[in-house]
Amino acid sequence: MPNEKPKFYLTTPIYYTNGLPHIGHTYTTVVADTIRRYKRMLGYEVVMTTGTDEHGVNVERAAKNAGVPESEFVANMAETWRALWDELGVPADEFIRTTEVRHARTVQWLFKRCRENGYIYPGHYTGQYCIYDNAFVTEAKPGENCPDCGRPTETLTEENYFFKLSAFQKPLLDFYQKNPDFIRPESRRNEMISFVEGGLKDLSITRTTVRWGIPVPAEESHVFYVWFDALTAYLSAVGGPEYERRGFWPADLHLVGKDIIRFHTVYWPAFLMAAMLPLPKQVWAHGWFLMDAAKMSKSKGNVVLPRPIANVLGMDAMRYFLLREVVFGQDGNFSYDALVQRYNSDLANGLGNLASRTAAMIEKNCGGKIPKPAALQPQDTALAKQAQNAIGEVMEHYNKLTFSRALEEIWALIGATDKYLTSEQPWSLGNTEADQARRATILYTTAEVLHIVTALAHPVLPESTAKVWILLGQPGQLGSLNLDGLRWGQIQPGAALGKSQALFPRIDKAEAIERMEAMENETPKQPVPAATSNAPASTPGAGSAAAAAAPAISEKIGIEDFAKVEMRVGLVKTAERIVGADKLLKLTVDIGSEVRQICAGIAQYYEPEKLIGRKVVVVVNLVPRKLRGVESNGMIVAATVGPEGRPVLASFTEDVEVGARLK
Ligand code: ME8
């Protein structure tokens, strides 16, 4: 069909359901969404797949901990992930769950094809297994920890089916050679080539020790091993065995973090070669977002959640920060401080300010209509030239996924326009005909730059650029604009400005950080047990005034749950205020076995000097966290009193020994 749009298929990893989405996962999904929007603006029909990886020992354990059947646990988690992507404006075109029937069919079909082609055989395997990474760790000896995640490994022997990965050493090396762009960036490609050159061992792809998985056809005691199962989800999402009908396979791009590059560039192409199926065109492995130089991960508890950022600064601010701050492919540090800094300097003072002042000047001087330019001066043509050049350069950067460079180019153009306005000073021109003509030219030029900036930044800042588009009175949906046709001079003089809308209001850094951290601390970082239908209901009509004032008592827990919380008597040794944080005090507290640094949100109610020497109750086994950049290793227990939630420290009327445990 001559008018059919070219197709583009891209994927994020299929995320594990034993944890909740954090900013690392959000990063990959935001990048995928940015590419999707960009490709759509180039006329592609795009499918973006994300989903949830729901099988394996970890899920079995997490479901057990939550006290619900696996199927219920994963259904809840999948919904959590899907709903978050929808809420953040990065919804999947195809959301695939590995517990779906369409996926099980595809995995079983792939297995049969590999087996018929002679690449699968039965055997036994004994080795060290890392249950967190769901992988045998060939490098580890019994008793040793997993070299990837540092957790203990378990020795495991079992009957497996093996995949003849060893047969693919040469085909893979030949494939990498013929397709130099298959693994990106180059450093990862070199790493993978040396890995494959070092020799490939056959791979066990089924388990008899795991129950929660897709059964192997005609071998009910075996279920598929996590990677044979999970990777296949990319194919299941676009038709599985009938992939040709939808026309989206092979994938154009698998986006992954560098932690899972080997699975995607060695195992996955080998499985597909064995099944004689087309191979994906590219795997791009980005770096990690770090917190204090350590990889953010749910097990360490040092994760940053996306929702507080989206709520306080908006989703576009988060997208901008993720793509601007770190060179795509490299690791980068996450900090709230840098995030709010970027928000204020680049978004509020940069794009937001340029858009609102341009609109205000056109409103005031040109009757709210884009003015017609008069004779051009060299400074007008210089800016026009810079904008025209930026179009090509920014698109080139998007094509190469060098997002931070693309944004640098766009912001250089914003900066040049700010300078242009400062030197041309349209506001100081008078009302003579010549002055009016000059002002019209300056404002037309500025509006035209803004028009180009808006179109170019749209893949990264979809919400705010759509607002600027309306502000500039431009017709149609910005997302459907054809970027290939973008040129200087397309804004129509005479077009009436649209309604002005708030764009990136400036925000007080300390306050923004405090709000984000407060929301973050309120959110559980690990999956919570799903509510079950026999959960105790609160007593209806409970009488006393006190009962009416206090919130209802939540669901009851067993003593074993309470026993998990370790509270001890602590003695406050030092107490001081934290600069820039009105509500926080930094304390050092002796808990018997050690002296801990703890931040407490009591600064508005307690003088630091008066706390020294006071005995308090400390929760000592909480994961340490940072509050306003200060590490807090524990929590001081306080009652919350009155409508403002005034904290009142728990204390004792009798003398108690420091370090005594509360039970
Ligand atoms: O590995 N910085 O799932 P997963 C940047 N189910 N990106 C990060 C990150 C960080 N700190 N943390 C996570 C799995 N990511 C498998 C995948 S695919 C067939 C199966 C992102 O939930 C990054 O994309 O552990 C990484 O590769 C992915 O989340 C890992 O997600």
Side-chain angles (χ1 to χ4, degrees):
M1 267 186 283
N3 287 332
E4 205 176 319
K5 285 182 171 182
K7 291 187 162 141
F8 192 87
Y9 179 37
L10 84 163
T11 64
T12 75
I14 307 301
Y15 303 112
Y16 285 132
T17 38
N18 58 329
L20 296 169
H22 60 66
I23 200 92
H25 308 109
T26 310
Y27 180 48
T28 319
T29 307
V30 159
V31 169
D33 178 72
T34 301
I35 298 170
R36 163 171 59 180
R37 290 177 192 272
Y38 174 64
K39 287 283 172 187
R40 286 196 177 139
M41 290 178 89
L42 292 179
Y44 284 83
E45 182 186 348
V46 187
V47 166
M48 173 187 133
T49 287
T50 187
T52 39
D53 185 352
E54 303 184 5
H55 289 128
V57 189
N58 282 326
V59 169
E60 266 178 24
R61 291 188 185 181
K64 195 160 168 255
N65 285 341
V68 292
E70 288 93 350
S71 56
E72 196 177 314
F73 179 83
V74 293
N76 266 308
M77 290 300 289
E79 210 30 57
T80 302
W81 283 78
R82 189 205 305 262
L84 180 83
W85 300 142
D86 288 353
E87 180 189 324
L88 297 183
V90 291
D93 299 308
E94 281 294 344
F95 190 94
I96 183 88
R97 298 181 51 193
T98 59
T99 51
E100 285 178 68
V101 173
R102 62 173 171 160
H103 175 64
R105 267 183 69 224
T106 310
V107 173
Q108 292 173 339
W109 169 78
L110 186 75
F111 176 79
K112 277 197 210 133
R113 285 182 72 122
C114 294
R115 194 176 192 178
E116 278 158 18
N117 293 337
Y119 293 107
I120 305 255
Y121 63 92
H124 282 92
Y125 184 80
T126 300
Q128 292 311 111
Y129 187 75
C130 172
I131 62 128
Y132 180 75
D133 293 335
N134 281 313
F136 276 104
V137 188
T138 43
E139 306 91 311
K141 296 191 186 65
E144 285 183 0
N145 290 346
C146 169
D148 286 336
C149 72
R151 290 185 186 73
T153 58
E154 293 173 5
T155 307
L156 211 70
T157 298
E158 63 174 355
E159 222 179 80
N160 295 162
Y161 278 100
F162 280 80
F163 175 81
K164 269 193 206 167
L165 187 63
S166 55
F168 290 92
Q169 184 184 26
K170 184 158 184 327
L172 281 170
L173 290 171
D174 289 347
F175 177 71
Y176 301 152
Q177 172 102 47
K178 280 200 205 99
N179 299 277
D181 288 338
F182 175 63
I183 308 173
R184 293 284 92 197
E186 192 64 15
S187 54
R188 302 277 161 232
R189 169 180 149 84
N190 296 336
E191 220 173 81
M192 286 303 109
I193 291 177
S194 14
F195 175 78
V196 176
E197 280 172 349
L200 294 174
K201 291 202 178 109
D202 290 350
L203 201 69
S204 106
I205 57 160
T206 67
R207 292 281 177 274
T208 44
T209 46
V210 179
R211 209 176 33 78
W212 180 241
I214 297 171
V216 174
E219 294 282 354
E220 295 297 308
S221 60
H222 288 251
V223 300
F224 285 100
Y225 157 70
V226 171
W227 286 100
F228 195 87
D229 169 347
L231 289 160
T232 308
Y234 299 137
L235 188 53
S236 319
V238 287
E242 291 84 40
Y243 69 89
E244 280 172 328
R245 212 181 296 157
R246 275 192 72 183
F248 278 96
W249 191 260
D252 293 277
L253 178 61
H254 290 314
L255 281 169
V256 296
K258 66 180 183 181
D259 45 337
I260 53 175
I261 181 90
R262 185 169 17 123
F263 306 113
H264 283 78
T265 59
V266 181
Y267 297 6
W268 182 223
F271 296 158
L272 291 166
M273 282 178 186
M276 302 219 291
L277 290 168
L279 269 50
K281 294 183 193 149
Q282 191 170 68
V283 178
W284 229 108
H286 63 68
W288 286 337
F289 260 98
L290 310 170
M291 262 311 243
D292 308 318
K295 186 191 173 212
M296 218 179 268
S297 81
K298 50 203 166 219
S299 55
K300 290 196 205 112
N302 62 344
V303 297
V304 173
L305 302 175
R307 215 180 247 122
I309 304 175
N311 283 0
V312 174
L313 298 178
M315 192 53 199
D316 276 8
M318 172 156 60
R319 295 172 70 108
Y320 179 78
F321 178 78
L322 293 176
L323 294 179
R324 174 72 181 77
E325 191 72 2
V326 176
V327 173
F328 193 62
Q330 295 179 10
D331 290 350
N333 218 45
F334 182 89
S335 93
Y336 279 134
D337 205 85
L339 167 70
V340 184
Q341 184 75 34
R342 281 242 174 251
Y343 172 90
N344 276 332
S345 67
D346 297 9
L347 298 177
N349 290 353
L351 178 59
N353 184 40
L354 180 64
S356 55
R357 71 205 277 230
T358 305
M361 285 189 285
I362 293 177
E363 204 62 64
K364 183 165 168 231
N365 299 295
C366 315
K369 295 201 168 131
I370 304 285
K372 199 166 165 354
L376 299 179
Q377 295 191 3
Q379 56 276 35
D380 310 326
T381 21
L383 187 60
K385 194 154 172 246
Q386 184 176 348
Q388 181 63 48
N389 288 344
I391 299 174
E393 282 175 31
V394 169
M395 286 175 59
E396 192 49 38
H397 283 306
Y398 279 142
N399 291 339
K400 290 192 290 191
L401 310 194
T402 40
F403 301 106
S404 55
R405 296 295 311 281
L407 294 171
E408 269 172 36
E409 286 288 342
I410 299 174
W411 260 257
L413 189 55
I414 293 176
T417 313
D418 283 338
K419 274 207 189 114
Y420 167 81
L421 282 175
T422 309
S423 72
E424 297 310 304
Q425 303 212 353
W427 49 85
S428 30
L429 292 166
N431 275 332
T432 65
E433 209 169 298
D435 273 5
Q436 283 188 19
R438 180 68 200 136
R439 187 164 43 230
T441 308
I442 298 166
L443 294 182
Y444 167 83
T445 306
T446 309
E448 181 55 69
V449 176
L450 202 51
H451 173 251
I452 287 174
V453 160
T454 306
L456 290 177
H458 183 67
V460 179
L461 302 174
E463 264 178 49
S464 42
T465 49
K467 286 184 188 169
V468 181
W469 197 248
I470 292 169
L471 184 65
L472 289 174
Q474 296 306 292
Q477 295 278 335
L478 176 53
S480 324
L481 182 87
N482 173 12
L483 263 191
D484 265 336
L486 186 67
R487 303 271 179 282
W488 178 266
Q490 288 172 329
I491 200 163
Q492 286 307 314
L497 295 193
K499 221 173 115 230
S500 133
Q501 305 183 51
L503 276 177
F504 309 119
R506 262 194 81 82
I507 197 156
D508 176 71
K509 197 202 260 183
E511 189 202 315
I513 296 179
E514 208 161 298
R515 280 171 58 202
M516 288 187 283
E517 281 184 346
M519 286 177 73
E520 176 128 346
N521 290 332
E522 277 163 17
T523 316
K525 305 240 162 90
Q526 292 297 327
V528 281
T532 48
S533 49
N534 59 358
S538 58
T539 324
S544 77
I553 289 174
S554 49
E555 197 180 322
K556 297 214 170 24
I557 57 166
I559 188 79
E560 64 289 353
D561 285 326
F562 175 69
K564 287 186 197 152
V565 182
E566 188 175 340
M567 285 189 275
R568 292 193 180 271
V569 175
L571 178 71
V572 179
K573 307 292 279 181
T574 64
E576 58 185 281
R577 296 192 183 276
I578 298 175
V579 181
D582 303 345
K583 297 189 184 141
L584 285 183
L585 289 185
K586 182 166 86 176
L587 313 176
T588 49
V589 184
D590 184 352
I591 56 162
S593 51
E594 62 186 291
V595 176
R596 292 274 187 91
Q597 176 172 297
I598 299 175
C599 296
I602 53 175
Q604 288 164 317
Y605 304 94
Y606 287 89
E607 290 298 325
E609 312 75 58
K610 293 199 183 139
L611 286 171
I612 297 168
R614 180 166 176 162
K615 285 189 178 154
V616 289
V617 176
V618 183
V619 181
V620 296
N621 62 339
L622 280 177
V623 176
R625 63 185 197 203
K626 282 214 162 167
L627 295 167
R628 305 301 310 280
V630 180
E631 172 142 314
S632 181
N633 190 3
M635 191 178 83
I636 310 282
V637 176
T640 308
V641 179
E644 283 154 28
R646 177 169 65 91
V648 176
L649 293 177
S651 57
F652 301 91
T653 49
E654 285 173 52
D655 196 24
V656 280
E657 201 182 318
V658 171
R661 181 156 184 193
L662 279 82
K663 290 188 181 167

